[in-house]
Amino acid sequence: MLVETKAAPDLRRPGRATMTSGQAERVRRAQRAGAYVLLIAATGVFLLPFLWMVTTSLKSDAENLAFPPEFLPSSFHFENYARGWSGSLPFTRFLVNTIVITALSMAGNLISCVLPAYAFARMRARLGAFLFALMLGTMMIPREITLVPKYILFAKLGWVDTYLPLIVPEFFGVALYIFLLRQFFTTIPQELIDAARIDGASEWRILWKIMLPLSKPALAAIMLFSFVGNWNQYLESVIYLRTTEKFTIPLGLGMFSGQYATQYNQMMAVSIVAMMPIVVLFFIAQKTFIRGVTLTGIAGR
């Protein structure tokens, strides 16, 4: 007796053809090419202001005031860099002032942020969670609200027209940096800390010998954030500094704007020179910085 067998039903949707491996590879290549095109277009949009700054720095005084403005200069005037830097304003002195303020502020940020970050991450206290939430709450206070009270305080201390109002507050911690370091510290295995404590290591030794060497990416990210923030600091500088010899580079750039005319070509030339330390520092510490930003905040404990 013969048993009639039925073919297995085709479960695929009607009207939809299967895609071969070659077709799937072509689709993936097309998607990848489209993603690259979008990234290149976005990069061009973000680079356009920088390219405008470079071309403006190479224009002549007449082309600087031409209307409608032209993107490319007719000839390159590299003397704008020398004229802007060595002109009537002492930009070499401004550079030294900016380096001193930035270096001391970075040191203050690291010293004042590492200690509370370690305490919030690895030391237990009754009000630890409340104090951590209170510290994060300070990030919601607008910066402008504290300008007048801080100025009154520093004026009574006699610190106006000195670098102290720009440097001393950096030694009292920055909530954002403390938060980032605390989050990174929590990713370090607790077993290392416990083993060090069993061996008799103090909290200072644990911090110095274990936590900081393992936290180089996070420290690099904090240092880069601090460097950029203090290097470009303008608001506090214009409030507290009075003497021209004590000005920083951002204040010197603002002095290019005259009452009747503005030397945009020289301003852009000096701006490019002042921007170079940030660009060089970023490319030197790029891998460490990106790794620190990526790993910071992974642990939510």
Side-chain angles (χ1 to χ4, degrees):
M1 181 176 178
L2 298 178
V3 179
E4 183 179 356
T5 58
K6 295 182 179 181
D10 190 359
L11 300 179
R12 293 174 299 181
R13 294 181 180 178
R16 175 174 295 184
T18 58
M19 184 179 297
T20 63
S21 60
Q23 292 175 338
E25 181 63 23
R26 285 193 293 270
V27 170
R28 284 193 294 269
R29 289 181 180 179
Q31 293 175 347
R32 192 179 301 114
Y36 284 146
V37 170
L38 291 178
L39 289 175
I40 293 173
T43 302
V45 172
F46 283 105
L47 285 178
L48 186 60
F50 176 74
L51 295 177
W52 176 264
M53 184 168 62
V54 173
T55 56
T56 303
S57 68
L58 299 175
K59 292 179 180 179
S60 63
D61 294 338
E63 292 174 332
N64 182 34
L65 301 176
F67 185 83
E70 298 179 357
F71 186 78
L72 295 175
S74 58
S75 60
F76 295 150
H77 295 269
F78 292 98
E79 66 274 8
N80 292 333
Y81 289 83
R83 290 169 55 196
W85 191 267
S86 303
S88 59
L89 298 175
F91 271 98
T92 303
R93 179 63 182 174
F94 296 165
L95 177 62
V96 174
N97 298 340
T98 306
I99 292 175
V100 171
I101 295 174
T102 302
L104 294 177
S105 299
M106 289 175 60
N109 288 147
L110 289 178
I111 294 173
S112 61
C113 295
V114 166
L115 298 178
Y118 175 73
F120 284 131
R122 295 304 182 187
M123 301 180 70
R124 298 294 177 260
R126 290 183 178 180
L127 299 178
F130 171 75
L131 293 176
F132 183 67
L134 184 63
M135 182 207 68
L136 294 180
T138 61
M139 298 172 60
M140 304 178 187
I141 301 176
R143 182 184 181 186
E144 291 75 13
I145 292 179
T146 61
L147 288 178
V148 175
K150 285 170 58 178
Y151 181 83
I152 295 175
L153 174 62
F154 293 143
K156 290 184 177 180
L157 292 175
W159 289 2
V160 177
D161 201 22
T162 67
Y163 297 144
L164 293 177
L166 308 178
I167 299 174
V168 173
E170 304 299 325
F171 284 83
F172 288 88
V174 179
L176 176 61
Y177 300 163
I178 296 173
F179 170 75
L180 295 178
L181 285 174
R182 184 261 181 189
Q183 294 300 102
F184 193 92
F185 285 163
T186 55
T187 63
I188 298 176
Q190 180 64 30
E191 289 77 10
L192 295 175
I193 312 300
D194 295 337
R197 288 171 179 168
I198 293 173
D199 290 338
S202 62
E203 298 295 337
W204 289 101
R205 189 174 183 85
I206 293 173
L207 176 62
W208 184 256
K209 294 294 185 179
I210 298 177
M211 303 297 288
L212 293 184
L214 295 176
S215 303
K216 290 181 181 179
L219 295 175
I222 297 303
M223 290 180 64
L224 188 57
F225 287 146
S226 177
F227 180 85
V228 174
N230 290 285
W231 187 270
N232 295 327
Q233 184 178 177
Y234 179 81
L235 183 60
E236 282 81 1
S237 300
V238 77
I239 291 176
Y240 295 109
L241 299 181
R242 299 286 186 270
T243 308
T244 304
E245 288 74 15
K246 298 179 181 179
F247 281 3
T248 58
I249 287 182
L251 293 182
L253 291 174
M255 297 178 69
F256 275 110
S257 299
Q259 183 177 2
Y260 301 104
T262 300
Q263 299 171 323
Y264 291 106
N265 49 0
Q266 297 182 27
M267 179 190 295
M268 296 301 174
V270 177
S271 299
I272 293 174
V273 175
M275 188 179 60
M276 285 299 104
I278 299 177
V279 176
V280 172
L281 180 62
F282 177 78
F283 279 104
I284 291 176
Q286 181 179 9
K287 292 183 179 179
T288 307
F289 168 73
I290 294 176
R291 183 168 180 265
V293 174
T294 304
L295 296 180
T296 299
I298 289 180
R301 293 173 291 179

